[in-house]
Amino acid sequence: MTLPRVVALETYELRLPPLKDFRWQSLTEPLGSFFVVRLIAEDGTEGLGEVVPLKDWGGDHGRQYGETPTTAAHVVHEYLAPVVFAESPGDVGRIHARWDAVVKGHPYAKAAVDVALHDLVGRALGVPVYQLLGGRCRESVPIAHMLGILPLDEVVAEARAAWADGLRAFQIKGGRDAARDGEVVAALRATLGPAVFLRLDANQGYATPKAAIAALRPMEAARLDAAEQPVAGLAALAEVRSAVAPLVIADESCWSAADALALAQARAVDAISIYVGMAGGLYPARQVAAVAAAAGLPHDVNGSLELGIGSAANVHLAIAAPAATLASVTPIAAPADAAPTQVGGRYFADDVVSAPFLYRDGAVAPLDRPGLGVALDEARLRRYAVVQRRSER
Ligand SMILES: [Mg+2]
């Protein structure tokens, strides 16, 4: 079977206001910028992709650089689109090889187009994207609700509301003030009980392994389940891991399959956080997941609070990845009038997809449709788009 060729590529830079003033350790400007790619094939089949490029998000010791919707659009139209027009959309591995030869890095730009290719191929073949990734290892994906750096009473109130929505895993942003982090963890454990999964994400904020160990050890009394990226660097992570009870999770330290291999070889962590955007798309993210699985490291599939298109890509990967057993920090995306939760997994007041995910008991599943299973709401796309560009074959 011959897949239809891609004849046009559109990009949209979107802005949607967040529901709250979200804060985390390394974030320097408000959330709410999104980058969407639409591929259009010669027979009219479309494919959608989305990422949230962050300019202040990088790897250990400056090894990765930030991206913005504007830099992503430049890279996509100048360097990635010509390869997409020249190849069959199903040859994703070869497309990545050509992209990596033409332009180094820029994983978010590549991820947006990679996801759109998967969506287009799934629609052309009439199968969900998870089938292209190996099929279902689980029926739905447990979601962790992200709690930003807020005053203690606001964090507790938000967590209670998300718990009432059915969520049983929480990612607590911290890393600026160890005493405050300890108070929040203790308050959440006391409020939510022993069964919820509490994961403190310091975003490399503790200055040294000793500082991280001193911060985390008191949280063992509140049975903190996991400490995400308490410090920067593999050696520092390994030092913390050997000294504290909670699982130590790599996030900023893990972008690629090579990073996952290095983390495993250094015995630096107990688990890995995998992002479609950081890896450069579903194809390379699967390779990260395969290394994690081979190394015996469980992982999640986290996002950077994408809208429904990017969140769908996260969910499809988490459905298909054998070792994706940790709850994932992915929005429960929905348009304004159809959200299945009040607070849990909700970060923006609206979306550009026309129907929510299937949601039950703290877990989401994709809609039973080809591709990513999302339908674009064209009116909402136009309403929130601030810049559009189009390239043609
Ligand atoms: Mg993180």
Side-chain angles (χ1 to χ4, degrees):
M1 173 181 181
T2 304
L3 290 165
R5 291 287 176 143
V6 176
V7 295
L9 184 156
E10 297 173 351
T11 58
Y12 301 83
E13 299 176 39
L14 307 179
R15 287 208 66 83
L16 269 84
L19 285 169
K20 288 197 171 190
D21 179 23
F22 288 106
R23 298 276 158 186
W24 63 68
Q25 159 61 19
S26 56
L27 188 71
T28 59
E29 63 181 29
L31 289 175
S33 292
F34 310 87
F35 180 67
V36 169
V37 167
R38 171 162 35 196
L39 302 176
I40 301 152
E42 56 197 347
D43 68 347
T45 306
E46 295 190 355
L48 297 168
E50 182 217 339
V51 292
V52 174
L54 295 169
K55 67 176 178 48
D56 45 18
W57 180 256
D60 283 332
H61 314 306
R63 285 191 184 129
Q64 302 281 346
Y65 316 126
E67 292 174 64
T68 70
T70 305
T71 69
H74 169 71
V75 169
V76 165
H77 287 281
E78 296 300 319
Y79 303 113
L80 308 187
V83 176
V84 172
F85 295 148
E87 297 283 353
S88 167
D91 293 332
V92 176
R94 185 157 69 191
I95 289 170
H96 271 283
R98 288 189 60 183
W99 282 346
D100 291 344
V102 170
V103 57
K104 302 299 178 197
H106 299 278
Y108 285 89
K110 289 171 180 170
V113 187
D114 164 293
V115 171
L117 287 165
H118 280 85
D119 186 34
L120 187 147
V121 172
R123 293 196 215 189
L125 298 176
V127 297
V129 164
Y130 63 73
Q131 294 283 358
L132 305 176
L133 307 177
R136 276 177 291 194
C137 288
R138 54 194 59 81
E139 301 299 316
S140 64
V141 179
I143 299 299
H145 180 76
M146 192 198 89
L147 296 160
I149 296 178
L150 293 167
L152 178 63
D153 57 338
E154 289 182 43
V155 174
V156 172
E158 184 175 330
R160 289 177 81 107
W163 190 91
D165 281 325
L167 281 95
R168 295 295 179 265
F170 295 84
Q171 184 201 49
I172 307 149
K173 290 294 188 183
R176 281 187 189 166
D177 177 343
R180 173 265 175 200
D181 295 346
E183 284 174 26
V184 170
V185 169
L188 290 174
R189 180 63 76 201
T191 304
L192 303 175
V196 299
F197 189 87
L198 297 181
R199 156 186 187 161
L200 177 75
D201 184 4
N203 286 118
Q204 307 173 311
Y206 298 136
T208 63
K210 276 193 167 54
I213 292 163
L216 293 170
R217 276 202 178 140
M219 298 182 207
E220 292 175 8
R223 289 200 29 252
L224 178 68
D225 294 287
E228 178 177 343
Q229 200 75 46
V231 287
L234 274 54
L237 285 171
E239 193 174 337
V240 175
R241 181 195 179 212
S242 68
V244 302
L247 300 175
V248 173
I249 303 176
D251 182 357
E252 282 90 336
S253 292
C254 188
W255 291 64
S256 64
D259 288 344
L261 186 59
L263 284 158
Q265 287 172 330
R267 305 182 65 79
V269 291
D270 302 289
I272 284 176
S273 197
I274 296 179
Y275 290 62
V276 173
M278 289 164 75
L282 288 164
Y283 180 85
R286 279 186 81 201
Q287 297 173 334
V288 183
V291 172
L297 297 172
H299 65 87
D300 54 22
V301 179
N302 273 13
S304 302
L305 306 189
E306 293 86 359
L307 298 172
I309 302 164
S311 298
N314 297 340
V315 170
H316 280 269
L317 178 59
I319 291 269
T325 53
L326 294 179
S328 293
V329 186
T330 291
I332 302 170
D337 47 3
T341 56
Q342 297 287 318
V343 171
R346 288 193 69 198
Y347 309 97
F348 301 97
D350 202 3
D351 207 296
V352 294
V353 298
S354 56
F357 293 145
L358 303 173
Y359 173 78
R360 205 173 76 177
D361 297 336
V364 297
L367 299 177
D368 187 20
R369 297 158 56 149
L372 293 171
V374 303
L376 188 66
D377 184 322
E378 298 284 347
R380 283 180 158 103
L381 180 74
R382 282 194 298 276
R383 187 185 315 161
Y384 298 120
V386 291
V387 183
Q388 300 180 36
R389 284 181 67 181
R390 180 180 168 97
S391 291
E392 295 183 359
R393 189 175 173 186

